[in-house]
Amino acid sequence: MATEMALVKPISKFSSSTPIFSSSRYGKLTTVRMSSTSQSQPSPTTKSAGKKAAKTAIKETLLTPRFYTTDFDEMETLFNTEINRNLNQSEFEALLQEFKTDYNQTHFVRNKEFKEAADKIDGPLRQIFVEFLERSCTAEFSGFLLYKELGRRLKKTNPVVAEIFSLMSRDEARHAGFLNKGLSDFNLALDLGFLTKARKYTFFKPKFIFYATYLSEKIGYWRYITIYRHLKENPEYQCYPIFKYFENWCQDENRHGDFFSALMKAQPQFLNDWKAKLWSRFFCLSVYVTMYLNDCQRTAFYEGIGLNTKEFDMHVIIETNRTTARIFPAVLDVENPEFKRRLDKMVEINEKILAVGETDDIPLVKNLKRIPLIAALASELLATYLMPPIESGSVDYAEFEPQLVY
């Protein structure tokens, strides 16, 4: 799960009541933790450790990757073969064999090139690169937790679907572990066990899980394959070897997306009415805007690997939207120039909101200054949502979508 829809979650604060960092000097590993409680004053030891570490905390905002939960009882009903006659078990069995093949079982093998490359990355690029690894690891680990629980809960109701979820959790755990190993090259590591207990979980109804996760997997595919192809053509920007693994890695994302396509086909009520069209457009907008705003805050990372951030994002959005149009009943008209104009306007407003947060004003004054800016951002979001959509979608689309998009 390479990216997360995160526009509808309140901001939560950090706690430093437990150590966030230990010293990272002289090769000693720093453990990064997060919690969602109120912030307390750090001790002198914590302050000293924070100075030695590359970062002082993982900053959680509206755009931070989320951990998700859902109505598991409803999920069991949806995938009960005695209740839902739309379930195409033969298609799920074919997908299960695809996952069992485990094409990437021996793919994620590190070598000494990782640490050597990390040691050469310094300055602002090093900090933004660490943040990229942290966010990516959190997103992948979020997928692992959700898929693992779905695999456990559906085991009796639909063993085939349950096993696919379990195998997808295997993939996500492999990705998260590989990213966390990458952090160790920078003398950092996410405490994933701590995250599991400390992070707040966002509840989504099953149909929303389908929409959001499908988009997350497909947009992850297009992000990874675009970066991989770019660096293959421009090897002088290959600053860290993790990108060399993106070609096979993104095929995991694609297979996951194909599975969610099959899940939605088995639930035609989520695809064939006017409410489905409204929700489809909403989730497209949420995912696309979240990615665009996130990436425009991190242009140093994309420039560091030779990409123009906005051009990269628009390419990913357009390709994801074309892929999504094969299953969603309606999608946004992202190739309309007005769509990008509104995205860029949102970036300007978001930068002003961030600037307010960095002032020395008291919280009350900051909040008063934010009100018109948040209203302006909401207005742009609504205007973008209300742009004439593209009618699309077919529950009879061709199987094995990777052949179509890669």
Side-chain angles (χ1 to χ4, degrees):
M1 186 181 290
T3 187
E4 296 292 339
M5 195 286 290
L7 289 179
V8 291
K9 185 75 167 66
I11 297 176
S12 55
K13 294 183 179 180
F14 298 108
S15 167
S16 52
S17 57
T18 53
I20 297 176
F21 282 101
S22 60
S23 174
S24 64
R25 293 278 179 89
Y26 312 117
K28 188 174 181 180
L29 188 67
T30 296
T31 299
V32 185
R33 290 184 170 187
M34 292 180 63
S35 93
S36 54
T37 58
S38 299
Q39 188 169 356
S40 61
Q41 291 299 319
S43 66
T45 303
T46 304
K47 286 182 179 179
S48 175
K51 289 179 181 178
K52 293 180 181 180
K55 288 166 62 67
T56 56
I58 303 171
K59 187 176 181 181
E60 183 170 356
T61 71
L62 284 171
L63 303 180
T64 302
R66 304 292 165 191
F67 284 10
Y68 295 96
T69 187
T70 190
D71 186 335
F72 294 103
D73 291 333
E74 183 182 344
M75 280 286 193
E76 289 182 33
T77 300
L78 292 174
F79 294 107
N80 189 317
T81 54
E82 296 180 1
I83 297 175
N84 186 354
R85 301 298 180 183
N86 292 310
L87 292 170
N88 186 344
Q89 286 298 108
S90 62
E91 182 174 10
F92 289 130
E93 288 169 1
L95 285 166
L96 176 58
Q97 293 307 311
E98 183 84 357
F99 280 99
K100 280 184 174 180
T101 303
D102 195 6
Y103 299 101
N104 289 331
Q105 183 178 13
T106 60
H107 179 60
F108 296 96
V109 179
R110 289 164 47 86
N111 53 46
K112 64 177 182 179
E113 186 181 356
F114 280 80
K115 181 62 177 173
E116 292 173 353
D119 290 341
K120 295 177 182 177
I121 301 175
D122 54 18
L125 181 59
R126 184 179 179 88
Q127 181 176 348
I128 203 73
F129 203 91
V130 166
E131 186 178 343
F132 160 75
L133 292 172
E134 288 173 348
R135 294 176 62 84
S136 299
C137 182
T138 302
E140 298 285 353
F141 190 65
S142 169
F144 158 72
L145 293 175
L146 177 64
Y147 298 159
K148 180 182 179 181
E149 184 63 14
L150 283 167
R152 186 182 71 82
R153 293 291 296 264
L154 296 175
K155 191 171 292 185
K156 293 182 179 179
T157 305
N158 194 318
V160 173
V161 170
E163 188 171 1
I164 294 175
F165 274 119
S166 295
L167 293 174
M168 289 203 305
S169 74
R170 170 205 67 195
D171 295 342
E172 299 290 307
R174 188 179 285 157
H175 300 166
F178 196 63
L179 288 159
N180 213 10
K181 282 288 188 181
L183 279 169
S184 71
D185 297 325
F186 297 85
N187 301 322
L188 296 166
L190 280 176
D191 187 339
L192 298 177
F194 179 81
L195 285 181
T196 304
K197 299 175 182 177
R199 289 294 296 273
K200 290 183 177 180
Y201 286 70
T202 302
F203 177 86
F204 271 2
K205 290 174 66 67
K207 68 176 179 180
F208 300 153
I209 288 287
F210 293 162
Y211 296 141
T213 309
Y214 171 84
L215 280 164
S216 172
E217 299 289 1
K218 288 301 183 181
I219 207 168
Y221 167 83
W222 281 110
R223 286 173 65 84
Y224 286 163
I225 197 60
T226 301
I227 291 173
Y228 174 81
R229 289 170 176 168
H230 161 72
L231 293 177
K232 189 175 181 180
E233 294 176 1
N234 303 275
E236 66 273 18
Y237 290 106
Q238 188 75 257
C239 59
Y240 188 66
I242 198 168
F243 302 116
K244 297 178 181 179
Y245 292 75
F246 274 15
E247 183 178 31
N248 288 41
W249 189 330
C250 72
Q251 294 300 340
D252 283 343
E253 308 291 335
N254 221 1
R255 279 185 287 272
H256 296 181
D258 290 343
F259 174 57
F260 277 96
S261 295
L263 295 185
M264 286 187 283
K265 287 198 299 179
Q267 312 295 337
Q269 71 274 20
F270 297 159
L271 296 173
N272 62 7
D273 62 13
W274 63 272
K275 290 185 290 185
K277 292 182 178 181
L278 295 178
W279 282 118
S280 294
R281 289 160 55 197
F282 170 79
F283 279 96
C284 283
L285 180 65
S286 299
V287 170
Y288 300 161
V289 170
T290 298
M291 182 185 76
Y292 202 81
L293 295 185
N294 257 325
D295 288 353
C296 285
Q297 291 178 41
R298 297 165 178 82
T299 55
F301 171 77
Y302 297 97
E303 290 172 358
I305 58 174
L307 285 168
N308 178 292
T309 306
K310 291 184 176 181
E311 289 179 3
F312 166 74
D313 273 18
M314 283 309 302
H315 170 75
V316 170
I317 288 171
I318 288 170
E319 294 298 341
T320 302
N321 204 59
R322 290 174 179 174
T323 302
T324 301
R326 297 176 183 142
I327 186 68
F328 278 21
V331 294
L332 302 175
D333 186 6
V334 300
E335 297 181 61
N336 184 333
E338 181 69 7
F339 178 80
K340 184 177 185 302
R341 188 192 70 78
R342 292 195 178 279
L343 283 183
D344 289 336
K345 182 64 176 178
M346 289 182 224
V347 170
E348 292 177 14
I349 298 170
N350 190 51
E351 288 173 349
K352 292 178 181 177
I353 294 173
L354 293 173
V356 169
E358 293 173 358
T359 64
D360 295 328
D361 295 329
I362 62 174
L364 176 61
V365 173
K366 287 183 179 181
N367 289 334
L368 290 174
K369 288 182 177 180
R370 287 190 184 107
I371 289 174
L373 295 171
I374 292 173
L377 183 61
S379 176
E380 289 295 333
L381 283 166
L382 180 60
T384 307
Y385 180 76
L386 294 177
M387 288 176 60
I390 296 175
E391 300 289 324
S392 60
S394 171
V395 295
D396 298 319
Y397 79 115
E399 292 184 4
F400 300 111
E401 195 170 318
Q403 296 178 11
L404 300 175
V405 300
Y406 180 67

